[in-house]
Coordinates of all heavy atoms in Angstrom, one line a residue:
T1469 N 12.1 3.2 4.5 CA 12.0 4.4 5.3 C 11.3 5.6 4.6 O 10.4 6.3 5.1 CB 13.4 4.8 5.8 OG1 13.9 3.8 6.7 CG2 13.3 6.1 6.6
L1470 N 11.8 5.8 3.3 CA 11.3 6.9 2.6 C 9.8 6.6 2.1 O 9.0 7.5 2.2 CB 12.1 7.2 1.3 CG 13.6 7.7 1.6 CD1 14.3 7.9 0.3 CD2 13.5 9.0 2.4
R1471 N 9.5 5.4 1.8 CA 8.2 5.0 1.4 C 7.2 5.3 2.5 O 6.1 5.9 2.3 CB 8.1 3.6 0.9 CG 6.7 3.1 0.5 CD 6.6 1.7 0.3 NE 7.3 1.2 -0.9 CZ 8.3 0.3 -0.8 NH1 8.7 -0.2 0.4 NH2 8.9 -0.2 -1.9
Q1472 N 7.6 4.9 3.7 CA 6.7 5.0 4.9 C 6.5 6.5 5.2 O 5.5 6.9 5.7 CB 7.3 4.2 6.1 CG 6.2 4.0 7.2 CD 5.0 3.2 6.7 OE1 5.1 2.2 6.1 NE2 3.8 3.8 6.9
A1473 N 7.6 7.3 5.1 CA 7.5 8.7 5.4 C 6.5 9.4 4.4 O 5.8 10.3 4.8 CB 8.9 9.4 5.2
I1474 N 6.4 8.9 3.2 CA 5.5 9.5 2.2 C 4.1 9.0 2.6 O 3.1 9.8 2.6 CB 5.9 9.0 0.8 CG1 7.2 9.7 0.3 CG2 4.7 9.4 -0.2 CD1 7.7 9.1 -1.0
L1475 N 3.9 7.8 2.9 CA 2.6 7.2 3.3 C 2.1 7.9 4.6 O 0.9 8.1 4.7 CB 2.6 5.7 3.5 CG 3.0 4.9 2.2 CD1 3.0 3.4 2.5 CD2 2.0 5.2 1.1
D1476 N 3.0 8.2 5.5 CA 2.6 8.9 6.7 C 2.5 10.4 6.6 O 2.1 11.1 7.6 CB 3.7 8.6 7.8 CG 3.7 7.1 8.2 OD1 2.7 6.4 7.9 OD2 4.7 6.7 8.8
R1477 N 2.7 10.9 5.4 CA 2.6 12.3 5.1 C 3.7 13.2 5.8 O 3.6 14.4 5.9 CB 1.3 12.9 5.5 CG 0.1 12.0 5.2 CD -0.1 11.8 3.7 NE -0.8 13.0 3.1 CZ -1.2 13.0 1.9 NH1 -1.0 12.0 1.1 NH2 -1.8 14.1 1.4
R1478 N 4.8 12.5 6.4 CA 5.9 13.2 6.9 C 6.7 13.9 5.8 O 7.3 14.9 6.0 CB 6.8 12.3 7.7 CG 6.2 11.9 9.1 CD 7.1 10.9 9.8 NE 7.0 9.6 9.2 CZ 8.0 8.7 9.1 NH1 9.2 9.1 9.5 NH2 7.8 7.5 8.6
L1479 N 6.6 13.3 4.6 CA 7.1 13.9 3.4 C 5.8 14.2 2.6 O 5.1 13.3 2.1 CB 8.0 13.0 2.6 CG 9.3 12.6 3.2 CD1 10.1 11.6 2.4 CD2 10.2 13.9 3.4
A1480 N 5.5 15.5 2.6 CA 4.2 15.9 2.1 C 4.1 16.0 0.5 O 5.1 16.1 -0.1 CB 3.8 17.3 2.6
P1481 N 2.9 15.8 0.0 CA 2.7 15.9 -1.5 C 3.2 17.2 -2.0 O 2.9 18.3 -1.4 CB 1.2 15.8 -1.6 CG 0.7 15.0 -0.4 CD 1.6 15.5 0.7
G1482 N 4.0 17.2 -3.1 CA 4.5 18.4 -3.6 C 5.9 18.8 -3.0 O 6.5 19.7 -3.6
Q1483 N 6.3 18.2 -1.9 CA 7.5 18.5 -1.3 C 8.7 18.1 -2.1 O 8.8 17.0 -2.6 CB 7.6 17.9 0.1 CG 8.9 18.2 0.8 CD 8.9 17.6 2.2 OE1 7.9 17.3 2.8 NE2 10.1 17.4 2.8
R1484 N 9.7 19.0 -2.3 CA 10.9 18.7 -3.1 C 11.8 17.8 -2.2 O 12.0 18.1 -1.1 CB 11.6 20.0 -3.5 CG 12.7 19.7 -4.4 CD 13.4 21.0 -4.8 NE 14.6 20.8 -5.6 CZ 15.6 21.7 -5.8 NH1 15.5 22.9 -5.2 NH2 16.6 21.4 -6.5
L1485 N 12.3 16.8 -2.9 CA 13.2 15.9 -2.2 C 14.7 16.1 -2.7 O 15.0 15.8 -3.8 CB 12.8 14.4 -2.4 CG 11.4 14.1 -2.0 CD1 11.1 12.6 -2.3 CD2 11.2 14.3 -0.5
I1486 N 15.5 16.7 -1.8 CA 16.9 17.0 -2.2 C 17.8 15.9 -1.7 O 17.8 15.6 -0.5 CB 17.3 18.4 -1.6 CG1 16.3 19.4 -2.1 CG2 18.7 18.7 -1.9 CD1 16.5 20.8 -1.4
E1487 N 18.5 15.3 -2.6 CA 19.4 14.2 -2.3 C 20.3 14.5 -1.1 O 20.4 13.6 -0.2 CB 20.2 13.7 -3.5 CG 19.4 13.0 -4.6 CD 20.3 12.5 -5.7 OE1 21.5 12.6 -5.6 OE2 19.7 12.0 -6.7
R1488 N 21.0 15.6 -1.1 CA 21.9 16.0 -0.1 C 21.2 15.9 1.3 O 21.8 15.4 2.3 CB 22.5 17.3 -0.3 CG 23.4 17.9 0.8 CD 24.0 19.2 0.4 NE 23.0 20.1 -0.1 CZ 22.1 20.8 0.6 NH1 22.1 20.7 1.9 NH2 21.3 21.6 0.0
E1489 N 20.0 16.5 1.4 CA 19.3 16.5 2.6 C 18.9 15.1 3.1 O 18.9 14.8 4.3 CB 18.0 17.4 2.5 CG 18.4 18.9 2.3 CD 17.2 19.8 2.2 OE1 16.1 19.2 2.1 OE2 17.3 21.0 2.1
L1490 N 18.5 14.3 2.1 CA 18.1 12.9 2.4 C 19.3 12.1 2.9 O 19.1 11.2 3.8 CB 17.4 12.3 1.2 CG 16.1 12.8 0.8 CD1 15.5 12.1 -0.5 CD2 15.0 12.7 1.9
V1491 N 20.4 12.4 2.3 CA 21.6 11.7 2.8 C 21.9 12.0 4.2 O 22.2 11.2 5.1 CB 22.8 12.1 1.9 CG1 24.1 11.6 2.6 CG2 22.7 11.5 0.5
E1492 N 21.8 13.3 4.6 CA 22.0 13.8 6.0 C 21.0 13.2 6.9 O 21.3 12.8 8.0 CB 21.9 15.3 6.0 CG 23.1 16.0 5.3 CD 22.9 17.5 5.3 OE1 21.9 18.0 5.8 OE2 23.8 18.2 4.7
L1493 N 19.7 13.1 6.5 CA 18.6 12.6 7.4 C 18.8 11.1 7.6 O 18.5 10.6 8.7 CB 17.3 12.9 6.7 CG 16.8 14.3 6.8 CD1 15.6 14.5 5.9 CD2 16.5 14.7 8.2
T1494 N 19.2 10.3 6.5 CA 19.2 8.9 6.7 C 20.6 8.3 7.1 O 20.7 7.2 7.6 CB 18.8 8.2 5.3 OG1 19.7 8.7 4.3 CG2 17.4 8.6 4.9
G1495 N 21.6 9.1 6.8 CA 22.9 8.7 7.2 C 23.5 7.6 6.3 O 24.4 6.9 6.6
V1496 N 23.0 7.6 5.0 CA 23.5 6.6 4.0 C 24.1 7.3 2.9 O 24.1 8.6 2.8 CB 22.4 5.7 3.6 CG1 21.8 4.9 4.7 CG2 21.3 6.4 2.8
S1497 N 24.6 6.6 1.9 CA 25.3 7.2 0.8 C 24.3 7.8 -0.2 O 23.1 7.5 -0.2 CB 26.1 6.2 0.0 OG 25.3 5.2 -0.6
R1498 N 24.8 8.7 -1.0 CA 23.9 9.3 -2.0 C 23.5 8.3 -3.0 O 22.4 8.4 -3.6 CB 24.7 10.5 -2.7 CG 23.9 11.1 -3.8 CD 24.5 12.5 -4.2 NE 24.3 13.5 -3.2 CZ 24.5 14.8 -3.4 NH1 24.9 15.2 -4.6 NH2 24.3 15.6 -2.4
T1499 N 24.3 7.3 -3.3 CA 23.9 6.3 -4.2 C 22.7 5.5 -3.7 O 21.8 5.2 -4.5 CB 25.1 5.3 -4.4 OG1 26.2 6.0 -5.0 CG2 24.7 4.1 -5.4
S1500 N 22.7 5.2 -2.4 CA 21.6 4.5 -1.9 C 20.3 5.3 -1.9 O 19.2 4.8 -2.2 CB 21.9 4.1 -0.4 OG 22.9 3.2 -0.3
V1501 N 20.4 6.6 -1.6 CA 19.3 7.5 -1.7 C 18.7 7.6 -3.1 O 17.5 7.5 -3.4 CB 19.6 8.9 -1.2 CG1 18.5 9.9 -1.5 CG2 19.8 8.8 0.3
R1502 N 19.7 7.7 -4.1 CA 19.3 7.9 -5.5 C 18.6 6.6 -6.0 O 17.6 6.7 -6.7 CB 20.6 8.1 -6.3 CG 20.3 8.5 -7.8 CD 21.6 9.0 -8.4 NE 22.1 10.2 -7.8 CZ 23.4 10.6 -7.7 NH1 24.3 9.8 -8.3 NH2 23.7 11.7 -7.2
E1503 N 19.0 5.4 -5.6 CA 18.4 4.2 -6.0 C 17.0 4.1 -5.4 O 16.1 3.6 -6.0 CB 19.3 3.0 -5.6 CG 20.5 2.9 -6.5 CD 21.4 1.8 -6.0 OE1 21.1 1.2 -5.0 OE2 22.4 1.5 -6.7
A1504 N 16.9 4.5 -4.1 CA 15.6 4.5 -3.5 C 14.6 5.4 -4.2 O 13.4 5.0 -4.4 CB 15.7 4.9 -2.0
L1505 N 15.0 6.6 -4.6 CA 14.2 7.5 -5.3 C 13.8 7.0 -6.6 O 12.6 7.2 -7.1 CB 14.9 8.9 -5.4 CG 15.1 9.7 -4.1 CD1 15.9 11.0 -4.5 CD2 13.8 10.0 -3.5
R1506 N 14.7 6.3 -7.3 CA 14.4 5.7 -8.6 C 13.2 4.6 -8.4 O 12.3 4.6 -9.2 CB 15.6 5.0 -9.2 CG 15.4 4.6 -10.6 CD 16.7 4.0 -11.2 NE 17.8 5.0 -11.1 CZ 18.9 4.8 -10.4 NH1 19.1 3.7 -9.7 NH2 19.9 5.7 -10.5
E1507 N 13.3 3.9 -7.4 CA 12.3 2.8 -7.1 C 11.0 3.5 -6.8 O 9.9 3.1 -7.2 CB 12.7 1.9 -6.0 CG 11.8 0.8 -5.6 CD 11.5 -0.2 -6.8 OE1 12.5 -0.4 -7.6 OE2 10.5 -0.8 -6.8
L1508 N 11.0 4.5 -5.9 CA 9.8 5.3 -5.6 C 9.1 5.9 -6.8 O 7.9 6.0 -6.8 CB 10.1 6.3 -4.5 CG 10.5 5.7 -3.1 CD1 11.0 6.9 -2.2 CD2 9.3 5.0 -2.5
A1509 N 9.9 6.3 -7.7 CA 9.4 6.9 -8.9 C 8.7 5.9 -9.8 O 7.6 6.1 -10.3 CB 10.5 7.6 -9.8

Side-chain angles (χ1 to χ4, degrees):
T1469 296
L1470 294 180
R1471 181 191 288 123
Q1472 198 58 51
I1474 292 171
L1475 297 181
D1476 293 342
R1477 321 293 282 186
R1478 284 176 285 143
L1479 294 175
Q1483 180 176 340
R1484 187 182 175 198
L1485 301 178
I1486 301 172
E1487 286 184 7
R1488 173 178 48 78
E1489 294 179 354
L1490 293 177
V1491 167
E1492 293 174 358
L1493 287 171
T1494 59
V1496 301
S1497 70
R1498 178 163 289 194
T1499 298
S1500 294
V1501 167
R1502 190 169 295 154
E1503 290 176 352
L1505 291 177
R1506 189 178 300 119
E1507 180 64 27
L1508 291 171

